[in-house]
Amino acid sequence: MITTGSITRDAAAGDFPFLAARYPGRRRALKEFTHRDPDFVFWIYPDGKLHDAKDSHLRNTPRGFEYILDDEPDYGGFLRGRVATSFGRQLIVVYCRAEALASAGPQLDQFLRGIDALPIAIQSDALVVSDNADIYGTIIDLYWRADRE
């Protein structure tokens, strides 16, 4: 499990207990949290264009790209994710391979272009994680990583 950025796994688990190093049912708990009342559900095209998936990735795939649902975890080059808030803390979950956002590169650039287009405010300390609970750090960490590397 990847943990990178300015937030330790223990600190992240303080806000989101299912991110703890040992948490039974982690994926289920993460899914329940992000599906209960998401702030925004999205697809990000390979070029960084944002697609509003409304309340469901399955029912609202980008038109003409329905096949990406059959290509987990790569989704035909698209990134899918959800933004959810608990007690004032935002969590951005991205369904992707563990290494996708861990270092600078095309997928990190794609993600940041899409996030820049969100119609909701993203907090600078919003925590970014994968659906497997890899921790990439705060949104600021990701911008810094993209600029630095």
Side-chain angles (χ1 to χ4, degrees):
M1 212 173 353
I2 293 173
T3 303
T4 188
S6 63
I7 304 294
T8 66
R9 185 160 294 278
D10 287 342
D15 290 321
F16 305 103
F18 47 78
L19 295 177
R22 299 198 193 298
Y23 189 92
R26 173 193 334 274
R27 284 181 59 99
R28 182 176 31 83
L30 180 59
K31 181 177 180 180
E32 286 173 3
F33 170 69
T34 60
H35 284 66
R36 183 176 44 242
D37 187 25
D39 301 338
F40 199 81
V41 181
F42 61 84
W43 285 99
I44 300 175
Y45 285 78
D47 67 0
K49 179 182 168 189
L50 180 70
H51 175 77
D52 182 352
K54 305 201 185 324
D55 64 345
S56 169
H57 291 109
L58 181 63
R59 288 190 306 275
N60 297 298
T61 56
R63 186 168 303 193
F65 294 96
E66 292 78 9
Y67 66 88
I68 63 179
L69 292 171
D70 297 325
D71 185 30
E72 280 187 54
D74 297 317
Y75 302 105
F78 285 72
L79 293 174
R80 70 178 247 206
R82 292 172 175 268
V83 180
T85 304
S86 176
F87 299 106
R89 279 297 310 252
Q90 280 183 326
L91 183 71
I92 303 172
V93 177
V94 183
Y95 297 75
C96 60
R97 292 193 182 275
E99 65 278 0
L101 304 179
S103 60
Q107 285 187 303
L108 181 56
D109 294 341
Q110 171 187 357
F111 172 73
L112 293 174
R113 281 193 303 273
I115 290 298
D116 281 344
L118 284 175
I120 63 170
I122 297 296
Q123 300 164 355
S124 61
D125 66 345
L127 188 61
V128 182
V129 302
S130 76
D131 58 315
N132 288 318
D134 297 296
I135 297 175
Y136 302 115
T138 66
I139 197 74
I140 293 297
D141 292 330
L142 273 73
Y143 280 105
W144 181 80
R145 184 175 304 134
D147 288 340
R148 187 189 71 147
E149 296 180 15

